[in-house]
Amino acid sequence: MIGFAAPWLLLALPALPLLWWLLRVTPPQPRRQSFPSPLLLRALPLAEETPARTPWWVLLLRLLAAALIILGLARPVLGPGGASGGGGTLLLVLDDGWAAGPDWPLRLAIAQAELERAGREGRGAALLATAPSEGAQPPRVIGPMPAADLAPRLAALRPRPWAPDRAAALAALEAWARAEPGPFQALYLSDALAHGAPEAAAALMERLAAGGGLTLARAEERPVRLLLPPRAEGDRLHLALRQSPVEQAGEAPVIARGQDGRALARAVFRPAPGATEAETVLDLPTEIRNRVFRLDLAEEPGAGGVVLLDERFRRRPVGLLPGAEEAADAPLIGELFYLDRALSPFAELRRGTVEQLLARPLSVLILADRPIAPGPELEALARFVERGGMLVRFAGARLAEQPDPLLPVQLRAERQLGGALSWEQPQRLAPFPEGSPFAGLPVPAEISVERQVLAEPSARLAERIWARLADGTPLVTAETRGAGRIVLFHVTANAEWSDLPLSGLFVSMLRRLVALSAGVAGGEGEGALAPLETLDGFGRLGPPPPGAQPLPATGEAAISPRHPPGWYGTPGAEGFRRALNLGAALPAPSLHPPPPAGTAQRAIATIPPERDLGPWLLAAALLLLALDLLASLRLRGLLGAARAAAVLLALGAALPAAAQEGQHALVTRLAYVITGDAQTDETMRAGLLGLSDFVNRRTAANLAEPVGVVPGRDDLSFFPLLYFTVRPEAQPLEPAAIAALNAFMRHGGIILFDTRDEGSGEGFAPGARAALRRVTQGLAIPPLMPVPEDHVLRRAFYLLGELPGRFAGGTVWVSREQDRANDSVSPVVIGGHDWAGAWAVDGRGQNLHAAVPGGARQRTLAYRFGANLVMYALTGNYKGDQVHVPAILERLGN
């Protein structure tokens, strides 16, 4: 399908017959004649000359060139053809829910191209986004209005981190159709999912088709993936993935990140062809696992590819100390037997002395019937509690006889039920009181307590009770001391005094205590959780939207504008946080029903962008005019046939040679070292292309399109800067390449080595640092140091405090000041921030990769670092030149 951006220029086409009349004659070709003497000229008769007609093929050549110029100036546009043709209103319908995030730039570009086409055709346009807005308003149709007026509204549209509401979208469409009667042509950019309501999806497509024509564009060739919250089991996190079915097998890498965005580990899902689920395992040491803040599906920028990990997914270290080491682990009767089996699936258990246990960070320390003697041990345990630790005590005969100060209540006596002198029967457990960390846990009726230690009555005893027996006596008491807590079970840790250790309730109570040690409680059962940070449609954390409401105390809610995925809890560094994840609240992705008969269908990834044919037509016109010039010279006798053929051959041979040998000498351009991996090389090309465009717009530099080079084969002297991505499998360079790179650096060139594994990208490219050592072996690289605060690279154009790329937080290295030559300019810059990934853009100027963890601000800083690097390569230490400072200051003083 071809349209014209300036169709009024086509009015010049009827003037071609006039041009035919003007060009159909040409002055006659001069005739050469030899004369014996100038005197004979007097006798020659004067004959009237008549013009000769222009050869038809020359005239046709000129007319064709004129027609191409007219068509080229009219800017014909070759497009894929979106919505069905016709004169009705163009209705753009976009699924802007969570599933649209990964390919949102492509969806938006297709919609914008269709809107521009409607503007050229003079048609009105309307827009319907199917997801509710951030303020929880239902979908509505915007328009109809001129396409130029609708374009800003379309550009401002962003994906939402919740599912579309197609039933509400259908209601909005019906209301709009009643208010705006008449046919309309619809282009529906669907996410291809049913979202649990296939009937609503089918009804919406049927109504769109009934309006006058429907074109359905969807992304069935790409699976829509949803990352689920992991399952903790021992030392492992079991990760699960759901996706829409696709025929091809593929891989889905997932990256575990810390709170600062640093990559801590990486795992890979490998779903089978046609599979809708996949699993993998993340096996990490406890210290690293407890630092995992979020899981991200690599290259899937969307809320469905993010899982936030709160304290429920942490594996906390727990220390165990028995009253006596002998028989502490004896089956069924040992003091630590039941504790070990209850805690080992979700906590890291440690054994040793008090000094050994407290020498490392510890969340919970459990003492099973172990009195604490006054002295260093008592003081060390008191400091542990004061600094935020949780001390859990279990009663027993030893503790009943020797109580100590590290108890939440004073003990008075040991109570035995059901014995020979019993005055009572064994007691059952009462329901847990409100405000207790155990509130909500079901109490089995079969648990009985036959013996316990009693608490001394006091005015504050009631507020320290977390669990009671049926007769009201305390079973579990607790007290806050400093930043920590002391918790006492008034029964033993084995089954000697009660049936509690034999029940599943015992495991649940211990799990809540371990979670409480990490700051989880204070929240559960104590009120609603306010929204702190929420995810947007691209999976980025930010301020909650205006319509966000507090989460119920249970921490469970349906994902919606009222409860977007993200962090909820109490504000402050020490506040409680609960993660609400998208994957835990959505059904498995399934495809929506097929569209109605007669619907035109396209795959989003196969819709090509519009192409402007104007430059190609103008270039063809210039070529025809050049041929016309040669023909005219030949017809006038100024150029022989042999010479004309020679000129054509010379031009044909010289132009490619000049393009190959001299194209780099005529302009300034950046270059990258070809690695042989297509994806890596394309990322470098797109990155330097995006950087060149940024530099051209923000500075006085004028950079041409970057090119790839092979050191040792291509001449590097034309380029000021080489970008060298070091892949983990990179091998040592050839001698010719080493010589070429050394000569390049010696004559003032700068090489940027990028390992893509620093800062928040740590673990993204394992083995890249070893590859860097292999690649640089033999290169004349001087001693290095981190970029100092006053280095010219930080102030060549922008003032920068950090030098991030796609990743942030690592170290960037340059040559030491005293070791640099070439006007003290560093010949190398080494880092691992994947700057090319941050700069990379596609053909529409959209960024290809997410910048983590800083998002848009980090990408801006990455572009600014690139501009500084280019200025540094072009001007050297110009900004660091201090020679003229005294003269400048003196001039300013005068």
Side-chain angles (χ1 to χ4, degrees), residues 192-218:
L193 298 185
H195 296 289
E199 299 82 4
L204 177 61
M205 289 187 291
E206 289 178 0
R207 182 62 185 88
L208 291 173
L214 170 62
T215 298
L216 179 65
R218 51 185 176 180

Side-chain angles (χ1 to χ4, degrees), residues 570-798:
T570 55
E574 302 298 329
F576 158 67
R577 285 196 165 203
R578 169 60 60 87
L580 180 63
N581 288 304
L582 192 68
L586 294 180
S590 59
L591 298 179
H592 62 49
T599 301
Q601 299 188 56
R602 292 178 178 267
I604 286 180
T606 62
I607 299 179
E610 288 187 342
R611 299 184 62 183
D612 189 354
L613 301 180
W616 295 94
L617 296 178
L618 292 176
L622 291 176
L623 179 60
L624 293 181
L625 291 176
L627 294 176
D628 175 72
L629 177 61
L630 292 177
S632 299
L633 292 176
R634 174 70 183 91
L635 292 176
R636 292 172 181 267
L638 301 178
L639 189 66
R643 291 182 180 180
V647 170
L648 290 176
L649 292 176
L651 286 175
L655 287 177
Q660 278 198 334
E661 297 180 4
Q663 61 176 339
H664 306 323
L666 300 177
V667 293
T668 303
R669 66 178 80 231
L670 308 179
Y672 58 92
V673 176
I674 296 176
T675 64
D677 179 75
Q679 183 177 0
T680 302
D681 294 342
E682 176 58 24
T683 298
M684 287 192 290
R685 188 201 67 81
L688 294 184
L689 187 64
L691 175 62
S692 299
D693 178 67
F694 180 85
V695 171
N696 292 341
R697 288 186 287 108
R698 301 299 178 93
T699 74
N702 187 12
L703 301 179
E705 186 173 346
V707 296
V709 295
V710 177
R713 187 193 70 184
D714 299 319
D715 189 353
L716 307 181
S717 61
F718 300 111
F719 311 107
L721 176 67
L722 285 183
Y723 195 103
F724 198 141
T725 296
V726 181
R727 304 186 68 246
E729 59 272 19
Q731 299 302 315
L733 298 175
E734 298 292 335
I738 293 175
L741 292 176
N742 283 335
F744 174 75
M745 292 187 290
R746 187 168 58 251
H747 291 93
I750 296 177
I751 306 176
L752 174 61
F753 289 99
D754 188 358
T755 56
R756 303 182 300 174
D757 66 341
E758 286 282 344
S760 56
E762 185 175 355
F764 181 79
R769 297 184 188 180
L772 177 64
R773 289 191 290 270
R774 294 194 300 269
V775 167
T776 56
Q777 183 179 3
L779 295 180
I781 296 180
L784 303 175
M785 67 175 181
V787 178
E789 293 297 327
D790 59 347
H791 196 274
V792 178
L793 197 55
R794 294 184 182 270
R795 50 194 174 96
F797 193 82
Y798 292 99

Side-chain angles (χ1 to χ4, degrees), residues 479-649:
E479 180 189 15
T480 299
R481 292 199 187 174
R485 286 187 176 91
I486 300 175
V487 180
L488 172 64
F489 282 75
H490 291 239
V491 293
T492 58
N494 55 20
E496 183 179 355
W497 285 15
S498 72
D499 297 335
L500 180 62
L502 302 177
S503 67
L505 178 62
F506 187 65
V507 178
S508 300
M509 294 173 72
L510 291 177
R511 291 195 65 167
R512 291 209 174 182
L513 288 179
V514 173
L516 181 66
S517 71
V520 168
E524 291 194 47
E526 295 186 1
L529 310 177
L532 303 177
E533 290 181 290
T534 57
L535 294 172
D536 64 8
F538 297 110
R540 302 172 301 197
L541 281 172
Q549 300 294 324
L551 199 65
T554 58
E556 303 298 333
I559 300 295
S560 68
R562 299 296 186 190
H563 299 109
W567 290 110
Y568 293 78
T570 55
E574 302 298 329
F576 158 67
R577 285 196 165 203
R578 169 60 60 87
L580 180 63
N581 288 304
L582 192 68
L586 294 180
S590 59
L591 298 179
H592 62 49
T599 301
Q601 299 188 56
R602 292 178 178 267
I604 286 180
T606 62
I607 299 179
E610 288 187 342
R611 299 184 62 183
D612 189 354
L613 301 180
W616 295 94
L617 296 178
L618 292 176
L622 291 176
L623 179 60
L624 293 181
L625 291 176
L627 294 176
D628 175 72
L629 177 61
L630 292 177
S632 299
L633 292 176
R634 174 70 183 91
L635 292 176
R636 292 172 181 267
L638 301 178
L639 189 66
R643 291 182 180 180
V647 170
L648 290 176
L649 292 176

